[in-house]
Coordinates of all heavy atoms in Angstrom, one line a residue:
M91 N 0.8 -1.1 0.0 CA 0.0 0.0 0.0 C 0.9 1.2 0.0 O 1.9 1.3 0.7 CB -0.8 0.0 1.2 CG -2.1 -0.8 1.1 SD -3.1 -0.6 2.6 CE -2.9 -2.1 3.4
D92 N 0.5 2.3 -0.7 CA 1.2 3.5 -0.7 C 0.2 4.6 -0.3 O -0.9 4.7 -0.8 CB 1.6 3.8 -2.1 CG 2.7 2.9 -2.7 OD1 3.5 2.5 -1.8 OD2 2.6 2.5 -3.8
L93 N 0.6 5.4 0.7 CA -0.2 6.6 1.1 C 0.2 7.7 0.1 O 1.3 8.1 0.0 CB 0.2 6.9 2.5 CG -0.5 8.1 3.2 CD1 -2.0 7.8 3.2 CD2 0.1 8.4 4.5
Q94 N -0.9 8.3 -0.5 CA -0.7 9.3 -1.5 C -1.4 10.6 -1.0 O -2.3 10.5 -0.3 CB -1.3 8.9 -2.9 CG -0.7 7.5 -3.3 CD 0.0 7.6 -4.6 OE1 -0.1 8.6 -5.3 NE2 0.8 6.6 -4.8
N95 N -0.8 11.7 -1.5 CA -1.4 13.1 -1.2 C -1.6 13.3 0.3 O -2.5 13.9 0.7 CB -2.8 13.2 -2.0 CG -2.7 13.1 -3.5 OD1 -1.7 13.6 -4.0 ND2 -3.6 12.5 -4.1
F96 N -0.6 12.8 1.0 CA -0.7 13.0 2.5 C -0.1 14.4 2.8 O 0.9 14.8 2.3 CB 0.2 12.0 3.2 CG 0.3 12.1 4.6 CD1 -0.7 11.9 5.5 CD2 1.5 12.6 5.1 CE1 -0.5 12.0 6.9 CE2 1.7 12.8 6.5 CZ 0.7 12.5 7.4
S97 N -0.8 15.1 3.6 CA -0.3 16.4 4.1 C -0.9 16.7 5.5 O -1.9 16.2 5.9 CB -0.7 17.6 3.1 OG -2.1 17.8 3.2
V98 N -0.1 17.5 6.2 CA -0.5 18.0 7.5 C -0.2 19.5 7.5 O 0.9 19.9 7.2 CB 0.3 17.3 8.7 CG1 0.0 17.9 10.0 CG2 0.1 15.8 8.7
T99 N -1.3 20.3 7.7 CA -1.2 21.7 7.6 C -1.7 22.4 8.9 O -2.8 22.0 9.4 CB -2.1 22.2 6.4 OG1 -1.7 21.5 5.2 CG2 -1.9 23.7 6.2
R100 N -0.9 23.4 9.4 CA -1.3 24.1 10.5 C -2.6 24.8 10.3 O -2.7 25.4 9.2 CB -0.2 25.1 11.0 CG 1.0 24.5 11.7 CD 1.9 25.5 12.1 NE 3.0 24.9 12.8 CZ 3.0 24.8 14.2 NH1 2.1 25.4 14.9 NH2 4.0 24.1 14.7
N101 N -3.5 24.8 11.2 CA -4.7 25.4 11.0 C -5.1 26.4 12.2 O -6.4 26.4 12.5 CB -5.8 24.4 10.7 CG -7.1 24.9 10.2 OD1 -7.1 25.9 9.5 ND2 -8.2 24.2 10.5
G102 N -4.2 27.0 12.9 CA -4.5 27.9 14.0 C -4.2 27.3 15.3 O -3.6 26.2 15.4
T103 N -4.7 28.0 16.3 CA -4.5 27.6 17.7 C -5.9 27.5 18.4 O -6.8 28.3 18.1 CB -3.6 28.6 18.4 OG1 -2.4 28.8 17.7 CG2 -3.4 28.2 19.9
V104 N -6.0 26.5 19.3 CA -7.2 26.3 19.9 C -7.0 26.0 21.4 O -6.0 25.3 21.7 CB -8.1 25.2 19.2 CG1 -7.3 23.9 19.3 CG2 -9.5 25.1 19.8
S105 N -7.9 26.4 22.3 CA -8.0 26.0 23.6 C -9.0 25.0 23.8 O -10.2 25.3 23.5 CB -8.1 27.2 24.5 OG -8.2 26.8 25.9
L106 N -8.8 23.8 24.4 CA -9.8 22.8 24.5 C -10.1 22.6 26.0 O -9.4 21.8 26.7 CB -9.4 21.5 23.9 CG -9.2 21.6 22.3 CD1 -8.5 20.3 21.9 CD2 -10.5 21.9 21.6
P107 N -11.2 23.2 26.5 CA -11.5 23.0 27.9 C -11.9 21.5 28.1 O -12.5 20.9 27.2 CB -12.6 23.9 28.2 CG -13.1 24.4 26.9 CD -12.0 24.2 25.9
N108 N -11.7 20.9 29.3 CA -12.0 19.6 29.6 C -11.4 18.6 28.8 O -11.9 17.5 28.6 CB -13.6 19.4 29.6 CG -14.3 20.4 30.5 OD1 -13.8 20.5 31.6 ND2 -15.3 21.0 30.0
S109 N -10.2 18.9 28.1 CA -9.4 17.9 27.4 C -8.5 17.2 28.3 O -8.0 17.8 29.3 CB -8.6 18.6 26.3 OG -9.5 19.2 25.4
P110 N -8.3 15.9 28.1 CA -7.4 15.2 29.0 C -5.9 15.7 28.9 O -5.5 16.3 27.9 CB -7.5 13.7 28.5 CG -7.9 13.8 27.2 CD -8.7 15.1 27.0
T111 N -5.1 15.6 29.9 CA -3.8 15.9 30.0 C -3.1 14.6 30.5 O -3.7 13.8 31.2 CB -3.4 17.1 30.8 OG1 -3.8 16.9 32.2 CG2 -4.1 18.4 30.3
W112 N -1.8 14.5 30.2 CA -1.0 13.4 30.7 C 0.3 13.8 31.3 O 0.9 14.8 30.8 CB -0.7 12.4 29.5 CG -1.9 11.7 29.0 CD1 -2.3 10.5 29.3 CD2 -2.7 12.2 27.9 NE1 -3.4 10.2 28.5 CE2 -3.7 11.2 27.7 CE3 -2.8 13.4 27.2 CZ2 -4.7 11.3 26.7 CZ3 -3.8 13.5 26.2 CH2 -4.7 12.5 26.0
I113 N 0.8 13.1 32.3 CA 2.1 13.3 32.9 C 3.0 12.2 32.3 O 2.7 11.0 32.5 CB 2.1 13.3 34.4 CG1 1.2 14.5 34.9 CG2 3.6 13.4 34.9 CD1 1.0 14.5 36.4
I114 N 4.1 12.6 31.6 CA 5.0 11.6 31.1 C 6.2 11.7 32.1 O 7.0 12.7 32.1 CB 5.4 12.0 29.7 CG1 4.2 12.1 28.8 CG2 6.5 11.1 29.1 CD1 4.4 12.8 27.4
S115 N 6.5 10.6 32.7 CA 7.5 10.5 33.7 C 8.5 9.4 33.4 O 8.1 8.2 33.0 CB 6.8 10.2 35.1 OG 7.7 10.1 36.1
F116 N 9.8 9.6 33.5 CA 10.8 8.6 33.2 C 12.2 9.0 33.8 O 12.4 10.1 34.1 CB 10.8 8.3 31.7 CG 11.4 9.5 30.9 CD1 12.7 9.7 30.7 CD2 10.5 10.5 30.4 CE1 13.2 10.8 29.9 CE2 10.9 11.6 29.8 CZ 12.3 11.7 29.5
K117 N 13.0 8.0 33.8 CA 14.4 8.1 34.1 C 15.2 7.4 33.0 O 14.8 6.4 32.6 CB 14.8 7.6 35.5 CG 14.4 8.4 36.6 CD 14.9 7.8 37.9 CE 14.3 8.5 39.1 NZ 14.8 7.8 40.4
L118 N 16.2 8.1 32.6 CA 17.1 7.4 31.6 C 18.4 7.0 32.3 O 19.0 7.9 33.0 CB 17.5 8.4 30.4 CG 18.4 7.9 29.4 CD1 17.7 6.8 28.6 CD2 18.8 9.1 28.4
T119 N 18.7 5.8 32.3 CA 19.9 5.3 33.0 C 20.9 4.7 32.1 O 20.6 4.2 31.0 CB 19.5 4.3 34.1 OG1 18.8 3.2 33.5 CG2 18.5 4.9 35.2
D120 N 22.1 4.6 32.6 CA 23.2 3.9 31.9 C 23.0 2.4 32.1 O 22.9 2.0 33.2 CB 24.6 4.4 32.5 CG 25.7 3.7 31.8 OD1 25.8 2.5 32.0 OD2 26.5 4.4 31.1
S121 N 22.9 1.7 31.0 CA 22.6 0.3 31.2 C 23.7 -0.5 31.8 O 23.4 -1.6 32.4 CB 22.2 -0.3 29.8 OG 23.2 -0.1 28.9
Q122 N 24.9 0.0 31.8 CA 26.0 -0.7 32.4 C 26.1 -0.4 33.9 O 26.2 -1.4 34.7 CB 27.3 -0.4 31.7 CG 27.4 -0.7 30.2 CD 27.3 -2.2 30.0 OE1 27.9 -3.0 30.7 NE2 26.5 -2.6 29.0
S123 N 26.1 0.9 34.3 CA 26.3 1.2 35.7 C 25.0 1.4 36.4 O 25.1 1.4 37.7 CB 27.2 2.5 35.7 OG 26.4 3.6 35.2
G124 N 23.9 1.7 35.7 CA 22.7 2.0 36.4 C 22.6 3.4 36.9 O 21.6 3.9 37.4
A125 N 23.6 4.3 36.5 CA 23.6 5.7 36.9 C 22.5 6.4 36.2 O 22.3 6.1 35.0 CB 24.9 6.3 36.6
V126 N 21.8 7.3 36.9 CA 20.8 8.1 36.3 C 21.4 9.2 35.5 O 22.2 10.0 36.0 CB 19.8 8.6 37.4 CG1 18.8 9.6 36.8 CG2 19.1 7.5 38.1
L127 N 21.1 9.2 34.2 CA 21.6 10.1 33.2 C 20.7 11.3 33.1 O 21.1 12.5 32.9 CB 21.9 9.5 31.9 CG 22.8 8.3 31.9 CD1 22.9 7.7 30.5 CD2 24.2 8.8 32.4
F128 N 19.4 11.1 33.2 CA 18.4 12.1 32.9 C 17.2 11.7 33.8 O 16.6 10.5 33.7 CB 18.0 12.1 31.4 CG 17.3 13.4 31.0 CD1 18.0 14.5 30.9 CD2 16.0 13.3 30.7 CE1 17.4 15.7 30.4 CE2 15.4 14.5 30.2 CZ 16.1 15.7 30.2
D129 N 16.6 12.7 34.5 CA 15.5 12.4 35.4 C 14.3 13.3 35.1 O 14.4 14.5 35.3 CB 15.9 12.6 36.9 CG 14.9 12.2 37.9 OD1 13.7 12.0 37.5 OD2 15.2 12.0 39.1
R130 N 13.3 12.7 34.6 CA 12.0 13.5 34.3 C 10.9 12.9 35.1 O 9.9 12.5 34.6 CB 11.7 13.4 32.8 CG 12.5 14.3 32.0 CD 12.1 15.8 32.2 NE 12.6 16.6 31.2 CZ 12.3 17.9 31.1 NH1 11.5 18.4 31.9 NH2 12.9 18.6 30.2
T131 N 11.1 12.8 36.5 CA 10.1 12.3 37.4 C 9.7 13.5 38.3 O 10.4 14.5 38.4 CB 10.6 11.1 38.2 OG1 11.7 11.4 39.0 CG2 11.0 9.9 37.3
G132 N 8.6 13.3 39.0 CA 8.2 14.3 40.0 C 8.0 15.7 39.3 O 7.3 15.8 38.3
G133 N 8.5 16.7 39.8 CA 8.4 18.0 39.3 C 9.1 18.2 37.9 O 8.9 19.2 37.2
N134 N 9.9 17.3 37.6 CA 10.6 17.4 36.2 C 9.9 16.6 35.1 O 10.3 16.6 34.0 CB 12.0 16.8 36.3 CG 13.0 17.7 37.2 OD1 12.8 18.9 37.1 ND2 13.8 17.1 38.0
A135 N 8.7 16.0 35.5 CA 8.0 15.3 34.5 C 7.4 16.1 33.4 O 7.3 17.4 33.6 CB 6.9 14.5 35.2
L136 N 7.1 15.6 32.3 CA 6.6 16.4 31.1 C 5.1 16.3 31.2 O 4.5 15.3 31.4 CB 7.1 15.8 29.8 CG 8.6 15.6 29.6 CD1 8.8 14.9 28.3 CD2 9.2 17.0 29.6
N137 N 4.5 17.4 31.0 CA 3.0 17.5 31.0 C 2.6 17.6 29.5 O 3.0 18.6 28.8 CB 2.5 18.7 31.8 CG 2.7 18.6 33.2 OD1 2.1 17.7 33.8 ND2 3.6 19.3 33.8
F138 N 1.8 16.7 29.1 CA 1.2 16.7 27.7 C -0.2 17.0 27.7 O -0.9 16.5 28.5 CB 1.5 15.3 27.1 CG 1.0 15.3 25.6 CD1 1.9 15.7 24.6 CD2 -0.2 14.9 25.3 CE1 1.5 15.6 23.3 CE2 -0.7 14.8 24.0 CZ 0.2 15.2 23.0
P139 N -0.7 17.9 26.9 CA -0.1 18.5 25.7 C 0.7 19.8 25.9 O 1.3 20.3 24.9 CB -1.2 18.7 24.7 CG -2.3 19.1 25.6 CD -2.1 18.3 26.9
Q140 N 0.8 20.3 27.1 CA 1.5 21.5 27.4 C 3.0 21.5 26.9 O 3.5 22.6 26.5 CB 1.4 21.8 28.9 CG 0.1 22.1 29.5 CD -0.6 20.8 29.9 OE1 -0.3 19.8 29.5 NE2 -1.7 21.1 30.6
V141 N 3.6 20.4 27.0 CA 5.0 20.3 26.6 C 5.2 20.7 25.1 O 6.2 21.1 24.6 CB 5.6 18.9 26.9 CG1 5.0 17.8 26.0 CG2 7.1 19.0 26.8
L142 N 4.1 20.5 24.3 CA 4.2 20.9 22.9 C 4.6 22.3 22.7 O 5.3 22.7 21.7 CB 2.9 20.6 22.2 CG 2.5 19.2 22.0 CD1 1.1 19.0 21.4 CD2 3.5 18.4 21.2
G143 N 4.2 23.2 23.6 CA 4.6 24.6 23.6 C 6.1 24.8 23.7 O 6.5 26.0 23.4
Q144 N 6.8 23.9 24.2 CA 8.2 24.0 24.4 C 9.0 23.6 23.2 O 10.2 23.7 23.1 CB 8.7 23.2 25.6 CG 8.1 23.7 26.9 CD 8.4 22.8 28.1 OE1 9.1 21.8 28.0 NE2 7.8 23.1 29.2
L145 N 8.3 23.0 22.1 CA 8.9 22.6 20.9 C 9.0 23.7 19.9 O 8.1 24.5 19.9 CB 8.2 21.3 20.4 CG 8.1 20.1 21.3 CD1 7.3 19.0 20.6 CD2 9.4 19.6 21.6
T146 N 9.9 23.6 19.0 CA 9.8 24.5 17.9 C 8.7 24.2 16.9 O 8.1 23.1 17.0 CB 11.1 24.4 17.0 OG1 11.2 23.1 16.4 CG2 12.4 24.7 17.9
N147 N 8.3 25.1 16.1 CA 7.2 24.8 15.1 C 7.5 23.6 14.3 O 6.7 22.7 14.0 CB 7.0 26.0 14.2 CG 6.2 27.1 14.9 OD1 5.7 26.9 16.0 ND2 6.1 28.2 14.2
S148 N 8.8 23.4 13.9 CA 9.2 22.3 13.1 C 9.1 21.0 13.9 O 8.6 20.0 13.3 CB 10.7 22.5 12.6 OG 11.1 21.4 11.9
Q149 N 9.4 21.0 15.1 CA 9.3 19.8 16.0 C 7.8 19.4 16.2 O 7.4 18.3 16.2 CB 10.0 20.0 17.3 CG 11.5 20.0 17.2 CD 12.1 20.5 18.5 OE1 11.6 21.3 19.2 NE2 13.4 20.1 18.7
Q150 N 7.0 20.5 16.4 CA 5.5 20.3 16.5 C 5.0 19.6 15.3 O 4.2 18.7 15.3 CB 4.8 21.6 16.8 CG 5.1 22.2 18.2 CD 4.6 23.6 18.3 OE1 4.0 24.2 17.4 NE2 4.8 24.2 19.5
D151 N 5.4 20.1 14.1 CA 4.9 19.6 12.8 C 5.3 18.1 12.7 O 4.5 17.3 12.3 CB 5.4 20.4 11.7 CG 4.8 21.8 11.6 OD1 3.8 22.1 12.3 OD2 5.4 22.6 10.9
E152 N 6.6 17.8 13.1 CA 7.1 16.5 13.0 C 6.3 15.5 13.9 O 5.9 14.4 13.5 CB 8.5 16.4 13.4 CG 9.2 15.0 13.4 CD 10.6 15.0 13.8 OE1 11.1 16.1 14.2 OE2 11.2 13.9 13.8
F153 N 5.9 16.0 15.1 CA 5.2 15.2 16.1 C 3.8 14.9 15.5 O 3.3 13.8 15.5 CB 5.1 16.0 17.4 CG 4.1 15.4 18.4 CD1 4.5 14.3 19.1 CD2 2.8 15.9 18.5 CE1 3.6 13.7 20.0 CE2 2.0 15.3 19.4 CZ 2.3 14.2 20.2
V154 N 3.1 15.9 14.9 CA 1.8 15.8 14.4 C 1.8 14.8 13.2 O 0.9 14.0 13.1 CB 1.1 17.1 14.0 CG1 -0.2 16.9 13.3 CG2 0.9 18.0 15.3
E155 N 2.9 14.9 12.4 CA 3.0 13.9 11.3 C 3.0 12.5 11.8 O 2.5 11.6 11.2 CB 4.1 14.3 10.4 CG 3.8 15.5 9.5 CD 4.9 15.8 8.4 OE1 5.6 14.9 8.1 OE2 5.0 17.0 8.1
M156 N 3.9 12.3 12.9 CA 4.0 11.0 13.4 C 2.6 10.5 13.9 O 2.2 9.3 13.6 CB 5.0 10.9 14.5 CG 6.4 11.1 14.1 SD 7.6 10.9 15.4 CE 7.2 12.0 16.6
I157 N 1.9 11.3 14.6 CA 0.6 11.0 15.2 C -0.4 10.7 14.0 O -1.2 9.8 14.0 CB 0.1 12.0 16.1 CG1 0.9 12.1 17.4 CG2 -1.4 11.8 16.5 CD1 1.1 10.9 18.1
A158 N -0.3 11.5 13.0 CA -1.3 11.4 11.9 C -1.0 10.0 11.2 O -2.0 9.3 10.8 CB -1.1 12.5 10.9
N159 N 0.2 9.7 11.0 CA 0.5 8.4 10.3 C 0.0 7.2 11.2 O -0.6 6.2 10.7 CB 2.0 8.2 10.1 CG 2.4 8.8 8.8 OD1 2.0 8.4 7.8 ND2 3.2 10.0 8.9
W160 N 0.2 7.3 12.5 CA -0.3 6.3 13.4 C -1.8 6.2 13.4 O -2.4 5.1 13.3 CB 0.2 6.6 14.9 CG -0.3 5.7 15.9 CD1 0.3 4.5 16.3 CD2 -1.5 5.8 16.7 NE1 -0.5 3.9 17.3 CE2 -1.6 4.7 17.6 CE3 -2.5 6.8 16.8 CZ2 -2.7 4.5 18.4 CZ3 -3.5 6.6 17.6 CH2 -3.6 5.5 18.5
M161 N -2.5 7.3 13.4 CA -3.9 7.4 13.4 C -4.5 6.8 12.1 O -5.5 6.1 12.1 CB -4.4 8.8 13.6 CG -5.8 8.9 13.9 SD -6.4 10.7 14.2 CE -5.1 11.4 15.1
I162 N -3.9 7.1 11.0 CA -4.3 6.6 9.7 C -4.2 5.0 9.8 O -5.2 4.3 9.4 CB -3.5 7.2 8.5 CG1 -3.9 8.6 8.3 CG2 -3.7 6.4 7.3 CD1 -2.9 9.4 7.4
R163 N -3.1 4.5 10.2 CA -2.9 3.1 10.2 C -3.9 2.4 11.2 O -4.5 1.4 10.9 CB -1.5 2.7 10.7 CG -0.4 3.1 9.7 CD 1.0 2.7 10.1 NE 1.9 2.8 9.1 CZ 2.0 2.0 8.1 NH1 1.2 0.9 8.0 NH2 2.9 2.1 7.1
K164 N -4.2 3.0 12.3 CA -5.1 2.4 13.3 C -6.5 2.4 12.7 O -7.2 1.5 12.8 CB -5.1 3.2 14.6 CG -3.9 3.0 15.4 CD -3.7 1.5 15.8 CE -2.5 1.3 16.6 NZ -2.3 -0.1 16.9
R165 N -6.9 3.5 12.1 CA -8.3 3.7 11.5 C -8.5 2.7 10.3 O -9.6 2.2 10.1 CB -8.6 5.1 11.1 CG -8.5 6.1 12.1 CD -9.6 6.0 13.1 NE -10.7 6.8 12.5 CZ -11.9 6.9 13.0 NH1 -12.2 6.3 14.1 NH2 -12.8 7.6 12.4
L166 N -7.4 2.3 9.6 CA -7.5 1.4 8.5 C -7.2 -0.1 8.9 O -7.3 -0.9 8.1 CB -6.5 1.8 7.4 CG -6.8 3.2 6.7 CD1 -5.7 3.5 5.7 CD2 -8.2 3.1 6.1
G167 N -6.8 -0.2 10.2 CA -6.6 -1.6 10.7 C -5.2 -2.1 10.2 O -5.0 -3.3 10.2
I168 N -4.3 -1.2 9.9 CA -2.9 -1.7 9.5 C -2.1 -1.6 10.8 O -1.9 -0.6 11.4 CB -2.3 -0.7 8.5 CG1 -3.3 -0.6 7.3 CG2 -0.9 -1.1 8.1 CD1 -2.9 0.5 6.3
E169 N -1.5 -2.7 11.1 CA -0.8 -2.8 12.5 C 0.7 -2.6 12.4 O 1.3 -2.4 13.4 CB -1.1 -4.2 13.1 CG -2.5 -4.4 13.5 CD -3.0 -3.4 14.5 OE1 -2.2 -3.0 15.4 OE2 -4.2 -2.9 14.3
S170 N 1.3 -2.6 11.2 CA 2.8 -2.4 11.2 C 3.1 -1.0 11.2 O 2.4 -0.1 10.8 CB 3.3 -3.1 9.9 OG 2.8 -2.6 8.8

């Protein structure tokens, strides 16, 4: 299958009251020593979708394209 005429276009900004938010929490550790290299837990956790505001426009666009591709595949029942 080939996806054709695919595009993602910015269409303004919106505030969505009563929309869900998520806390993304993790630690990145060295697999050999176990040392914590990066800690995003507690007050350092990422809040989604608020964290999108910390990305550049290009990074936001890349994120939305990844989600759009995932959504298309799920809606069509394509699992790979």
Side-chain angles (χ1 to χ4, degrees):
M91 276 187 257
D92 295 318
L93 182 61
Q94 306 240 345
N95 297 326
F96 173 75
S97 68
V98 176
T99 307
R100 284 182 176 264
N101 193 28
T103 303
V104 64
S105 176
L106 298 173
N108 301 316
S109 293
T111 62
W112 292 265
I113 296 174
I114 302 168
S115 179
F116 64 92
K117 287 183 183 178
L118 180 64
T119 61
D120 181 292
S121 54
Q122 298 297 318
S123 69
V126 175
L127 304 173
F128 198 74
D129 186 345
R130 281 290 193 172
T131 60
N134 293 323
L136 304 174
N137 291 294
F138 182 85
Q140 294 86 343
V141 71
L142 293 175
Q144 298 172 4
L145 301 176
T146 66
N147 284 351
S148 179
Q149 290 169 331
Q150 291 170 359
D151 292 345
E152 179 182 2
F153 173 78
V154 171
E155 285 186 27
M156 288 187 305
I157 294 301
N159 276 293
W160 177 87
M161 194 177 320
I162 290 167
R163 292 182 167 285
K164 290 297 178 184
R165 301 286 276 174
L166 296 176
I168 302 168
E169 294 301 319
S170 59

